[in-house]
């Protein structure tokens, strides 16, 4: 339940609740925002209270008024039973897997998953006796054929990292439930604004708050929400591991939450504009954006999602590496670097050939991932247009 000044806000619409959630100005001397509470020790008034750990808070790793404010707001936004906050998006993926798997279990994970999540499965989970099988992200209800008696988790990410394959989440959820397995989903791209995970059948949803919740490329945070069934084991794992987020990052994320929907809407529109324009460029072979009707997973996006964020990819027509480098190296507005979801545009080349195992990565040309920020779209297009001119010149040289 989201609260403002101690009162239930469920009568309001989501955009209003996000503005109110987790704030109590009267308790903060009238100041609008919840401050970043820092601390390890929490003092108890009496021995009896200490021995029985009576009180709203017990120790810094287990939560503060600041973490509680963001957890409550996020649970409300996701329609979840509870949320925990981790120091990074990857740590969020890790705890979601750790709280649902044990030695001897089998995990089904999409081939299009964020690569460091894959690394965790192939190295750490393997050492702990968990077997991982990668599946084609387009498998849908066909996942049943890959399930074993010991399959405990199906892990999805929609759209997929780098290549944006859409996944049929309701079909995966039905298949997982029929076998008593949990459906976990990395929902970072859509965020709960554009894909309400638990309403669509996800048991545990992961958000790298580093991206759109932060929105300014200056914090690291992971959020994991769970439905009623899986919340107790998620909270238990969180308390056992003390993988707690930094107070300053949680404070900044609460601030980011107030404008997140606004930024997402802007970035959605700008990214679609750039994506449609890119479809008309002769140097572009294909645009990988779920909201484009030309994209393979478009029907699923249209059926299940409420919007699209500002990250997508393009496949260029075949060009030498030096020509792609000429395109990228001269860009003035698009920065080159990892992560996304901030106010500034980014571009990165990628190649999934060496690590995908359940599917064949044959894009037919060099691939670039674009994160569209809050700059003027006309300036972004001009920057890319100049890049295409450099690509052509370097290809001809
Ligand atoms: C889909 C996805 N999930 C999780 C993460 C991890 O987030 P963080 O960088 O906060 O560890 C990323 C980071 O790029 C990502 O793209």
């Amino acid at each position: 339940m989201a609260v403002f000044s101690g009162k239930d806000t469920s009568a309001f619409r989501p955009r209003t609740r996000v503005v109110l959630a987790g704030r109590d100005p009267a308790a903060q001397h009238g100041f609008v925002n919840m401050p970043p509470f820092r601390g390890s020790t929490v003092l108890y008034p009496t021995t009896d209270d200490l021995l029985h750990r009576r009180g709203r808070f017990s120790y810094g790793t287990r939560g503060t008024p600041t973490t509680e404010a963001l957890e409550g707001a996020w649970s409300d936004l996701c329609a979840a039973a509870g949320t925990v906050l981790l120091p990074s998006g990857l740590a969020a993926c890790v705890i979601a897997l750790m709280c649902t798997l044990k030695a001897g279990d089998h995990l089904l994970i999409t081939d299009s998953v964020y690569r460091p999540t894959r690394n965790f499965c192939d190295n750490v989970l393997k050492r702990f006796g968990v077997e991982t099988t990668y599946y084609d992200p387009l498998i849908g209800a066909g996942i049943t054929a890959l399930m074993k008696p010991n399959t405990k988790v199906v892990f999805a990410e929609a759209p997929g990292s780098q290549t944006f394959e859409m996944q049929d989440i309701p079909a995966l959820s039905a298949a997982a439930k029929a076998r008593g397995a949990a459906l976990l989903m990395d929902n970072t791209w859509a965020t709960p604004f554009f894909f309400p995970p638990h309403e669509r059948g996800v048991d545990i949803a992961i958000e790298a708050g580093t991206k759109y919740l932060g929105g300014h490329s200056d914090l690291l945070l992971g959020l994991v929400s769970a439905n009623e069934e899986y919340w107790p084991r998620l909270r238990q794992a969180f308390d056992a591991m003390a993988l707690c987020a930094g107070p300053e990052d949680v404070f900044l994320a609460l601030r980011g939450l107030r404008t997140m929907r606004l930024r997402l809407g802007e970035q959605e529109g700008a990214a679609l504009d750039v994506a449609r324009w890119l479809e008309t460029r002769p140097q572009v072979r294909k645009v990988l954006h779920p909201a484009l009707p030309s994209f393979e997973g478009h029907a699923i996006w249209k059926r299940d999602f409420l919007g699209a964020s500002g990250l997508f990819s393009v496949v260029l027509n075949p060009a030498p590496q030096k020509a792609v480098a000429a395109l990228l190296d001269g860009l003035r507005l698009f920065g080159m670097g990892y992560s996304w979801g901030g106010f500034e545009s980014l571009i990165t080349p990628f190649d999934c050939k060496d690590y995908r195992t359940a599917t064949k990565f044959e894009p037919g040309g060099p691939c670039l991932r674009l994160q569209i920020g809050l700059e003027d779209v006309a300036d972004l297009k001009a920057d890319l247009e100049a890049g295409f001119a450099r690509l052509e010149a370097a290809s001809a040289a």
Side-chain angles (χ1 to χ4, degrees):
M1 175 179 87
V3 289
F4 175 68
S5 297
K7 294 203 178 74
D8 179 7
T9 61
S10 49
F12 297 108
R13 291 173 177 80
R15 284 177 84 142
T16 307
R17 297 210 303 271
V18 159
V19 169
L20 300 175
R23 297 192 296 112
D24 189 353
Q28 294 150 204
H29 312 284
F31 285 95
V32 170
N33 288 314
M34 165 71 75
F37 275 84
R38 306 183 157 277
S40 49
T41 304
V42 176
L43 299 175
Y44 296 86
T46 68
T47 315
D48 198 50
D49 286 329
L50 183 139
L51 291 177
H52 293 95
R53 295 197 173 218
R54 226 175 269 130
R56 193 165 142 211
F57 301 101
S58 59
Y59 189 65
T61 57
R62 289 177 164 242
T64 68
T66 320
T67 59
E68 197 182 77
L70 182 56
E71 287 164 1
W74 198 256
S75 293
D76 180 58
L77 193 58
C78 295
T83 297
V84 291
L85 308 179
L86 292 299
S88 70
L90 181 56
C93 297
V94 165
I95 201 164
L97 289 163
M98 296 283 276
C99 79
T100 43
L101 290 163
K102 60 177 186 332
D105 286 348
H106 176 235
L107 159 69
L108 281 167
I109 189 159
T110 176
D111 208 25
S112 56
V113 76
Y114 174 58
R115 194 177 179 185
T117 306
R118 190 177 188 113
N119 179 49
F120 175 73
C121 299
D122 293 347
N123 295 296
V124 183
L125 280 186
K126 189 174 175 195
R127 276 197 290 112
F128 282 81
V130 174
E131 184 201 354
T132 299
T133 302
Y134 292 93
Y135 65 84
D136 182 335
L138 307 184
I139 200 167
I143 193 92
T144 302
L146 298 181
M147 294 186 89
K148 303 181 181 189
N150 62 337
T151 304
K152 291 290 156 47
V153 171
V154 176
F155 191 108
E157 184 179 318
S161 269
Q162 316 281 20
T163 38
F164 296 87
E165 296 89 344
M166 290 304 300
Q167 294 202 251
D168 190 336
I169 299 296
L172 291 177
S173 172
K177 279 197 173 56
R179 300 292 188 96
L183 177 63
L184 277 48
M185 178 189 182
D186 186 330
N187 192 35
T188 303
W189 181 84
T191 85
F193 279 114
F194 290 159
F195 186 82
H198 304 297
E199 286 168 31
R200 301 278 192 273
V202 174
D203 295 300
I204 298 183
I206 295 142
E207 182 80 23
T210 308
K211 320 299 176 197
Y212 287 107
L213 178 57
H216 296 70
S217 308
D218 55 4
L219 66 84
L220 288 160
L221 190 73
L223 303 95
V224 188
S225 58
N227 60 14
E228 290 288 351
E229 185 180 352
Y230 285 90
W231 169 237
R233 70 185 86 176
L234 172 62
R235 182 71 214 194
Q236 187 194 50
F238 177 79
D239 287 338
M241 290 192 249
L243 267 174
C244 52
E248 196 73 29
D249 285 348
V250 177
F251 167 77
L252 287 172
L254 266 171
R255 178 207 262 241
L257 179 68
R258 315 299 175 198
T259 57
M260 183 176 166
R261 178 64 185 80
L262 194 71
R263 287 182 281 104
L264 272 170
E266 277 296 308
Q267 289 174 272
E268 171 182 43
L272 255 176
D273 189 343
V274 175
R276 287 195 188 109
W277 174 78
L278 283 167
E279 280 196 306
T280 69
R281 297 295 93 192
Q283 299 83 4
V284 173
R285 182 184 171 91
K286 215 189 302 177
V287 180
L288 312 178
H289 189 310
L292 290 179
S294 60
F295 188 64
E296 194 180 1
H298 180 68
I300 288 182
W301 174 81
K302 213 167 159 187
R303 186 192 68 190
D304 295 341
F305 284 62
L306 307 170
S309 64
L311 188 78
F312 65 95
S313 291
V314 293
V315 181
L316 301 177
N317 283 317
Q321 162 86 30
K322 66 168 181 152
V324 178
L327 185 168
L328 294 173
D329 289 344
L331 291 171
R332 293 177 63 196
L333 295 177
F334 284 86
M336 268 189 291
Y338 294 103
S339 203
W340 44 283
F343 57 81
E344 84 291 18
S345 291
L346 298 170
I347 193 162
T348 45
F350 69 88
D351 185 351
C352 309
K353 192 168 64 259
D354 290 343
Y355 61 92
R356 296 232 171 137
T357 51
T359 54
K360 255 209 159 75
F361 182 70
E362 287 172 336
C367 299
L368 304 173
R369 189 184 72 174
L370 289 86
Q371 122 84 14
I372 303 300
L374 297 172
E375 303 90 343
D376 192 303
V377 170
D379 288 333
L380 293 176
K381 288 179 187 169
D383 201 23
L384 292 170
E385 187 73 86
F388 286 135
R390 287 191 299 277
L391 177 96
E392 296 280 1
S395 298

